[in-house]
Amino acid sequence: MKDSLNTLLGAMMALLVLVVLLYQPSTQEGVSRPNSEDQKADGLAGLRLWTSDSGLAVHSLRRDYWELPALEGLPQKGNILVSIMPYARAWEGDDLEQLQAWVEHGNTLLVLAALNDSPLWLRQADDARFIDEVYELTGLYFDAERDEEGEFILLGGGLEAETLFANPELKHPLMRGVDVLESVTLGVSSFWSVAEHDAQRGAVRLAYSEDFGLPTLWEIPSGEGRILFSASASLLSNDLLNEGGNARFFANVVGWHLADKGAVIFDDYRHGLNELYEPQDFFQDSRLYYSLCFVLGFWLLYLLGTGGRLSTPRPPPEPSHQTDLVVATGGLFTRKLGEQGAGRVMIERWLQRLRQSDVLFEAADGAIPWQQIAHLYPAQADALAHVRDAHSRLSRGEKVSLRQLHNTLLKLERSQL
């Protein structure tokens, strides 16, 4: 009993250690991510569904930017890439050069950057070089705006989300039909504006903050293409797509910059959707934990089952007897001969023993001399009748009880002695 308890305790401790080592509580649970599959507040599933239902080609980019020119069925020019900054997966190597080359070839990049708003997913983004990456991509360098007293202008931070309004530049074709652009910030955020010495890099201002009169949306030429840059990341999110003129703005972008066979592409690779199975994804795959639970459960069943140390010991097998050999041999002959053949052999062996003892003479025609046998067993008429009936039934191919036939023949032999 003590040995069994020690074994069970060791198994449970091993299970606990394994769970502690492998279990990594997800910090992303319940947080909406800005990709085209997320249907929560900050996701882009609504924009993707609306675009697809409008009959436009839609693609989810789940690899690096080198895949953009190779997307099947798309023209080399006239496509729109929707990208949200900062990224959960930062640029590496020549990612920026590949993206710039694709835009300069005649495509449009729509960047929605979380500068003036602070969505919840921002805590999980790689924002260490956020401002530098914006500068490298657009040529615009941003500074946090200060008030007259030199303090940073802060947005949000209340009990409810704060709505940010931007008035459009009505003379620009991308702003036709747009009354106001709306975005929201849940957390505290500074208000960012373009530094004065970077304001004249060919960028066209498309919208201005209603509260501060500073630009929040730009169009920047880049080779044969262009970059549309918004200082709010929530502009086209699921919650805000139908607010103000947000949807109308995107419709204008599609109408002016999307080629006939072009596609709206979502930069999902930068926010958690990946075609490649990478090592860091291994511990986030639920199938791993389902498999571990199955293996560990099977292991515990083994320990508690009939084959483990925790099970009740089996009694030692009984020693073999001579009768076991006889039973096994009889079973072998029965399986080989069949019931009818075995019955006929039993009767034939009984008759053979009678002939060998010179108490029975074989008939000339080979028939069994039942009348002569009856004189040998005057007191066993019933037993002899049973043997004769069994012989007759076996001859017709019918079944008989071999056990009863054996006992009857044994009774006849013992009575003769």
Side-chain angles (χ1 to χ4, degrees), residues 105-184:
H105 194 66
N107 296 287
T108 299
L109 172 63
L110 174 57
V111 179
L112 306 174
L115 288 169
N116 297 338
D117 52 0
S118 296
L120 295 180
W121 58 262
L122 189 60
R123 304 170 186 173
Q124 299 156 9
D126 186 356
D127 59 353
R129 297 188 66 254
F130 181 24
I131 301 301
D132 293 334
E133 289 175 346
V134 170
Y135 176 76
E136 293 168 359
L137 178 63
T138 65
L140 303 179
Y141 188 83
F142 285 82
D143 281 330
E145 191 69 18
R146 298 175 182 267
D147 58 21
E148 296 178 353
E149 298 178 357
E151 300 292 335
F152 288 111
I153 297 176
L154 300 180
L155 307 173
L159 297 178
E160 297 182 358
E162 181 176 349
T163 303
L164 311 178
F165 298 97
N167 296 324
E169 174 56 64
L170 298 179
K171 296 181 180 180
H172 198 283
L174 293 181
M175 295 291 106
R176 290 179 182 175
V178 178
D179 297 327
V180 65
L181 296 175
E182 295 187 21
S183 57
V184 298

Side-chain angles (χ1 to χ4, degrees), residues 348 351 355 361-370 391:
E348 181 60 33
L351 295 174
R355 297 188 187 101
F361 300 97
E362 187 174 358
D365 57 358
I368 300 177
W370 294 108
H391 181 268

Side-chain angles (χ1 to χ4, degrees), residues 235-258:
L235 197 63
L236 300 178
S237 63
N238 293 330
D239 270 6
L240 295 179
L241 181 60
N242 290 327
E243 299 297 329
N246 296 1
R248 183 61 191 176
F249 163 68
F250 184 76
N252 290 341
V253 174
V254 171
W256 279 95
H257 298 312
L258 187 67

Side-chain angles (χ1 to χ4, degrees), residues 61 63-69 81 83 87 91 95-96 98-99 102 267 269-270:
L61 182 65
R63 293 191 178 186
D64 279 323
Y65 296 125
W66 58 262
E67 184 77 8
L68 281 170
L81 176 65
S83 187
Y87 304 120
W91 288 331
D95 289 343
L96 176 59
Q98 291 175 349
L99 178 59
W102 181 80
D267 193 3
Y269 176 73
R270 298 292 161 185

